[in-house]
Amino acid sequence: MNWYINQLVHLILQNYLSIMRRHRINSICSIEPALGHSLEQVANNSFNSKELKWIEQIEDYRRLALNTTTSIEVEYLGAGHFPFRSRYQKKSTYNTHQRTIAKIARYSSTQKFGGSFLFSLIRHYQPTVGIELGTSIGISASYHGAALALNGFGKLITIEGANNIAEYARNQLSRLGLSSVMVVTGRFEDVLKDILKKYGPIDYLFIDGDHHFQATINYFNICLPSFRPHGIVVVDDIYWSKGMRNAWRTLCNYPQVKIGITLFTMGILVLQDLQGLRKLYRL
Ligand SMILES: C[S@@+](CC[C@H](N)C(=O)[O-])C[C@H]1O[C@@H](n2cnc3c(N)ncnc32)[C@H](O)[C@@H]1O
């Protein structure tokens, strides 16, 4: 059932993007071609057969996870999606809780539409080094990894603070054969600086971890000096809370940001090039 709802939402979002926003996508294409073309590709669903095969494989993995009722022990880290916040984080005094894989897949994973967009973005933008903050069970990491595999180069370092979740994601990514994705276990605040030192400079950052205002700004600030010119940052769940809305607005106003685009729940920032031209779009 969940899968059918996911498919329906995917179709609706795709049509919306395709019909209502075409002129803005064209305009983005002229300023940032990789981003514009990836928006076009998701809007028109114009994936080739190899790309569609990967998307299907990842969605098969999601379906399997949605039906996996095994529980794992999970540490509380940053604010996550709605059910985590209301049912656990506000009330519980424990540092860990038991959570089924099905629930993690359902409430903490990027949906098919968002995953397809990230996949397409990586295909067009072709980063050499990317970082993901918040692996969870590895659905979005799989979308990134599949695109990197098709690109034939590039790597993604994805960070997850909950030990058992990180281990689960690592196994699944290896089962899918996505060797360009490396899962690092650790809290962002503890490991991010070392990762940037070791693997930087970076071209790409996907922020999908601790959904608090200050945490989001801090992670962005830590990564900013390690970006190559023209870097791309995607922030998920920008409307999740007042804090996230403020964080998104704050990030858009950084002088290093050339373009800010909202794509449903995601915010996309393109960092400056030499022209220093700034523009904000809402799709
Ligand atoms: C929304 S989920 C990530 C979903 C994943 N990107 C996807 O779409 O498949 C956020 C993850 O970030 C992790 N997380 C939150 N705060 C963290 C922190 N401070 N350090 C490390 N991991 C953290 C949580 O354990 C959770 O698994």
mmCIF file of all heavy atoms in Angstrom, residues 76-99:
data_model
loop_
_atom_site.group_PDB
_atom_site.id
_atom_site.type_symbol
_atom_site.label_atom_id
_atom_site.label_comp_id
_atom_site.label_asym_id
_atom_site.label_seq_id
_atom_site.Cartn_x
_atom_site.Cartn_y
_atom_site.Cartn_z
ATOM 1 N N TYR A 76 19.425 8.045 20.124
ATOM 2 C CA TYR A 76 18.841 9.344 19.773
ATOM 3 C C TYR A 76 19.962 10.275 19.361
ATOM 4 O O TYR A 76 20.946 10.416 20.075
ATOM 5 C CB TYR A 76 18.146 9.986 20.984
ATOM 6 C CG TYR A 76 16.908 9.268 21.399
ATOM 7 C CD1 TYR A 76 16.867 8.587 22.596
ATOM 8 C CD2 TYR A 76 15.790 9.280 20.586
ATOM 9 C CE1 TYR A 76 15.730 7.928 22.981
ATOM 10 C CE2 TYR A 76 14.647 8.612 20.970
ATOM 11 C CZ TYR A 76 14.623 7.938 22.166
ATOM 12 O OH TYR A 76 13.507 7.284 22.545
ATOM 13 N N LEU A 77 19.789 10.916 18.212
ATOM 14 C CA LEU A 77 20.838 11.857 17.778
ATOM 15 C C LEU A 77 20.201 13.211 17.547
ATOM 16 O O LEU A 77 19.853 13.898 18.477
ATOM 17 C CB LEU A 77 21.547 11.294 16.545
ATOM 18 C CG LEU A 77 22.388 10.053 16.899
ATOM 19 C CD1 LEU A 77 22.537 9.136 15.737
ATOM 20 C CD2 LEU A 77 23.732 10.480 17.438
ATOM 21 N N GLY A 78 20.013 13.571 16.284
ATOM 22 C CA GLY A 78 19.386 14.876 16.042
ATOM 23 C C GLY A 78 17.908 14.699 15.800
ATOM 24 O O GLY A 78 17.393 13.583 15.773
ATOM 25 N N ALA A 79 17.200 15.816 15.633
ATOM 26 C CA ALA A 79 15.787 15.763 15.320
ATOM 27 C C ALA A 79 15.619 15.122 13.952
ATOM 28 O O ALA A 79 16.357 15.404 13.031
ATOM 29 C CB ALA A 79 15.206 17.169 15.302
ATOM 30 N N GLY A 80 14.632 14.239 13.843
ATOM 31 C CA GLY A 80 14.413 13.556 12.577
ATOM 32 C C GLY A 80 13.061 13.892 12.016
ATOM 33 O O GLY A 80 12.636 15.036 12.085
ATOM 34 N N HIS A 81 12.375 12.894 11.504
ATOM 35 C CA HIS A 81 11.076 13.157 10.924
ATOM 36 C C HIS A 81 10.023 13.157 12.021
ATOM 37 O O HIS A 81 10.279 12.754 13.143
ATOM 38 C CB HIS A 81 10.764 12.100 9.873
ATOM 39 C CG HIS A 81 11.594 12.284 8.640
ATOM 40 N ND1 HIS A 81 11.142 12.015 7.397
ATOM 41 C CD2 HIS A 81 12.859 12.751 8.485
ATOM 42 C CE1 HIS A 81 12.090 12.287 6.524
ATOM 43 N NE2 HIS A 81 13.139 12.723 7.162
ATOM 44 N N PHE A 82 8.812 13.555 11.696
ATOM 45 C CA PHE A 82 7.760 13.815 12.659
ATOM 46 C C PHE A 82 7.550 12.735 13.737
ATOM 47 O O PHE A 82 7.543 13.048 14.919
ATOM 48 C CB PHE A 82 6.459 14.104 11.907
ATOM 49 C CG PHE A 82 5.273 14.176 12.798
ATOM 50 C CD1 PHE A 82 5.111 15.270 13.633
ATOM 51 C CD2 PHE A 82 4.347 13.165 12.836
ATOM 52 C CE1 PHE A 82 4.029 15.345 14.478
ATOM 53 C CE2 PHE A 82 3.267 13.236 13.674
ATOM 54 C CZ PHE A 82 3.105 14.319 14.498
ATOM 55 N N PRO A 83 7.403 11.447 13.364
ATOM 56 C CA PRO A 83 7.104 10.471 14.402
ATOM 57 C C PRO A 83 8.205 10.377 15.452
ATOM 58 O O PRO A 83 7.935 10.136 16.611
ATOM 59 C CB PRO A 83 6.991 9.147 13.640
ATOM 60 C CG PRO A 83 6.824 9.526 12.237
ATOM 61 C CD PRO A 83 7.527 10.825 12.066
ATOM 62 N N PHE A 84 9.481 10.576 15.034
ATOM 63 C CA PHE A 84 10.575 10.519 15.989
ATOM 64 C C PHE A 84 10.405 11.632 17.025
ATOM 65 O O PHE A 84 10.537 11.416 18.197
ATOM 66 C CB PHE A 84 11.925 10.750 15.292
ATOM 67 C CG PHE A 84 12.368 9.576 14.495
ATOM 68 C CD1 PHE A 84 12.091 9.489 13.152
ATOM 69 C CD2 PHE A 84 13.048 8.556 15.105
ATOM 70 C CE1 PHE A 84 12.508 8.409 12.422
ATOM 71 C CE2 PHE A 84 13.468 7.466 14.381
ATOM 72 C CZ PHE A 84 13.191 7.389 13.040
ATOM 73 N N ARG A 85 10.089 12.807 16.527
ATOM 74 C CA ARG A 85 10.054 13.954 17.416
ATOM 75 C C ARG A 85 8.914 13.816 18.425
ATOM 76 O O ARG A 85 9.106 13.963 19.620
ATOM 77 C CB ARG A 85 9.851 15.220 16.584
ATOM 78 C CG ARG A 85 9.958 16.464 17.420
ATOM 79 C CD ARG A 85 9.900 17.691 16.586
ATOM 80 N NE ARG A 85 8.703 17.771 15.769
ATOM 81 C CZ ARG A 85 8.221 18.905 15.325
ATOM 82 N NH1 ARG A 85 8.815 20.018 15.596
ATOM 83 N NH2 ARG A 85 7.147 18.932 14.582
ATOM 84 N N SER A 86 7.712 13.487 17.948
ATOM 85 C CA SER A 86 6.591 13.514 18.853
ATOM 86 C C SER A 86 6.577 12.314 19.799
ATOM 87 O O SER A 86 6.371 12.462 20.980
ATOM 88 C CB SER A 86 5.293 13.550 18.068
ATOM 89 O OG SER A 86 5.198 12.391 17.295
ATOM 90 N N ARG A 87 6.861 11.142 19.245
ATOM 91 C CA ARG A 87 6.664 9.964 20.078
ATOM 92 C C ARG A 87 7.864 9.632 20.940
ATOM 93 O O ARG A 87 7.733 9.016 21.977
ATOM 94 C CB ARG A 87 6.321 8.758 19.210
ATOM 95 C CG ARG A 87 4.877 8.824 18.757
ATOM 96 C CD ARG A 87 4.504 7.617 17.964
ATOM 97 N NE ARG A 87 4.848 6.373 18.638
ATOM 98 C CZ ARG A 87 5.030 5.240 17.989
ATOM 99 N NH1 ARG A 87 4.941 5.208 16.684
ATOM 100 N NH2 ARG A 87 5.316 4.137 18.631
ATOM 101 N N TYR A 88 9.047 9.999 20.491
ATOM 102 C CA TYR A 88 10.218 9.561 21.226
ATOM 103 C C TYR A 88 11.008 10.708 21.840
ATOM 104 O O TYR A 88 11.241 10.736 23.036
ATOM 105 C CB TYR A 88 11.147 8.760 20.306
ATOM 106 C CG TYR A 88 10.501 7.519 19.774
ATOM 107 C CD1 TYR A 88 10.105 7.434 18.448
ATOM 108 C CD2 TYR A 88 10.270 6.436 20.611
ATOM 109 C CE1 TYR A 88 9.503 6.289 17.963
ATOM 110 C CE2 TYR A 88 9.674 5.290 20.129
ATOM 111 C CZ TYR A 88 9.286 5.213 18.805
ATOM 112 O OH TYR A 88 8.707 4.095 18.332
ATOM 113 N N GLN A 89 11.404 11.653 21.022
ATOM 114 C CA GLN A 89 12.386 12.596 21.512
ATOM 115 C C GLN A 89 11.858 13.494 22.605
ATOM 116 O O GLN A 89 12.588 13.856 23.498
ATOM 117 C CB GLN A 89 12.937 13.418 20.355
ATOM 118 C CG GLN A 89 13.909 12.581 19.557
ATOM 119 C CD GLN A 89 14.586 13.365 18.478
ATOM 120 O OE1 GLN A 89 13.912 14.067 17.729
ATOM 121 N NE2 GLN A 89 15.874 13.236 18.378
ATOM 122 N N LYS A 90 10.566 13.847 22.532
ATOM 123 C CA LYS A 90 10.061 14.770 23.533
ATOM 124 C C LYS A 90 9.793 14.059 24.852
ATOM 125 O O LYS A 90 9.926 14.620 25.903
ATOM 126 C CB LYS A 90 8.802 15.443 23.017
ATOM 127 C CG LYS A 90 9.135 16.536 22.031
ATOM 128 C CD LYS A 90 7.950 17.393 21.755
ATOM 129 C CE LYS A 90 8.378 18.620 20.968
ATOM 130 N NZ LYS A 90 7.246 19.318 20.385
ATOM 131 N N LYS A 91 9.352 12.761 24.759
ATOM 132 C CA LYS A 91 8.894 12.098 25.973
ATOM 133 C C LYS A 91 9.956 11.220 26.619
ATOM 134 O O LYS A 91 10.009 11.093 27.825
ATOM 135 C CB LYS A 91 7.667 11.245 25.632
ATOM 136 C CG LYS A 91 6.469 12.105 25.285
ATOM 137 C CD LYS A 91 5.264 11.245 25.008
ATOM 138 C CE LYS A 91 4.118 12.125 24.517
ATOM 139 N NZ LYS A 91 3.101 11.374 23.824
ATOM 140 N N SER A 92 10.790 10.581 25.808
ATOM 141 C CA SER A 92 11.660 9.557 26.358
ATOM 142 C C SER A 92 12.840 10.130 27.125
ATOM 143 O O SER A 92 13.369 11.178 26.818
ATOM 144 C CB SER A 92 12.188 8.684 25.226
ATOM 145 O OG SER A 92 13.107 7.783 25.750
ATOM 146 N N THR A 93 13.219 9.390 28.191
ATOM 147 C CA THR A 93 14.399 9.796 28.942
ATOM 148 C C THR A 93 15.550 8.841 28.640
ATOM 149 O O THR A 93 16.623 8.960 29.204
ATOM 150 C CB THR A 93 14.101 9.753 30.447
ATOM 151 O OG1 THR A 93 13.556 8.479 30.738
ATOM 152 C CG2 THR A 93 13.153 10.847 30.849
ATOM 153 N N TYR A 94 15.312 7.844 27.755
ATOM 154 C CA TYR A 94 16.359 6.877 27.432
ATOM 155 C C TYR A 94 17.237 7.385 26.297
ATOM 156 O O TYR A 94 16.819 8.195 25.484
ATOM 157 C CB TYR A 94 15.724 5.539 27.016
ATOM 158 C CG TYR A 94 14.921 4.913 28.122
ATOM 159 C CD1 TYR A 94 13.539 4.979 28.099
ATOM 160 C CD2 TYR A 94 15.557 4.284 29.183
ATOM 161 C CE1 TYR A 94 12.791 4.429 29.134
ATOM 162 C CE2 TYR A 94 14.821 3.735 30.209
ATOM 163 C CZ TYR A 94 13.440 3.807 30.184
ATOM 164 O OH TYR A 94 12.708 3.266 31.193
ATOM 165 N N ASN A 95 18.454 6.866 26.212
ATOM 166 C CA ASN A 95 19.356 7.279 25.135
ATOM 167 C C ASN A 95 19.193 6.440 23.885
ATOM 168 O O ASN A 95 19.692 6.790 22.833
ATOM 169 C CB ASN A 95 20.811 7.195 25.611
ATOM 170 C CG ASN A 95 21.090 8.265 26.630
ATOM 171 O OD1 ASN A 95 20.481 9.329 26.572
ATOM 172 N ND2 ASN A 95 21.954 7.983 27.567
ATOM 173 N N THR A 96 18.583 5.273 24.029
ATOM 174 C CA THR A 96 18.360 4.415 22.867
ATOM 175 C C THR A 96 16.914 3.921 22.886
ATOM 176 O O THR A 96 16.237 4.000 23.914
ATOM 177 C CB THR A 96 19.274 3.162 22.887
ATOM 178 O OG1 THR A 96 18.974 2.401 24.044
ATOM 179 C CG2 THR A 96 20.739 3.537 22.864
ATOM 180 N N HIS A 97 16.478 3.422 21.768
ATOM 181 C CA HIS A 97 15.164 2.787 21.702
ATOM 182 C C HIS A 97 15.194 1.724 20.613
ATOM 183 O O HIS A 97 16.105 1.714 19.777
ATOM 184 C CB HIS A 97 14.061 3.816 21.442
ATOM 185 C CG HIS A 97 14.164 4.484 20.105
ATOM 186 N ND1 HIS A 97 15.021 5.532 19.868
ATOM 187 C CD2 HIS A 97 13.536 4.237 18.929
ATOM 188 C CE1 HIS A 97 14.911 5.921 18.609
ATOM 189 N NE2 HIS A 97 14.019 5.146 18.004
ATOM 190 N N GLN A 98 14.209 0.837 20.620
ATOM 191 C CA GLN A 98 14.116 -0.197 19.602
ATOM 192 C C GLN A 98 13.263 0.337 18.461
ATOM 193 O O GLN A 98 12.237 0.957 18.706
ATOM 194 C CB GLN A 98 13.435 -1.454 20.182
ATOM 195 C CG GLN A 98 14.234 -2.175 21.247
ATOM 196 C CD GLN A 98 15.434 -2.908 20.657
ATOM 197 O OE1 GLN A 98 15.380 -3.425 19.549
ATOM 198 N NE2 GLN A 98 16.534 -2.929 21.409
ATOM 199 N N ARG A 99 13.703 0.084 17.253
ATOM 200 C CA ARG A 99 12.947 0.586 16.108
ATOM 201 C C ARG A 99 12.983 -0.470 15.008
ATOM 202 O O ARG A 99 14.035 -1.074 14.767
ATOM 203 C CB ARG A 99 13.601 1.882 15.631
ATOM 204 C CG ARG A 99 12.685 2.709 14.808
ATOM 205 C CD ARG A 99 12.906 4.182 15.024
ATOM 206 N NE ARG A 99 12.026 4.920 14.130
ATOM 207 C CZ ARG A 99 10.763 5.180 14.400
ATOM 208 N NH1 ARG A 99 10.231 4.789 15.523
ATOM 209 N NH2 ARG A 99 10.014 5.854 13.542
#
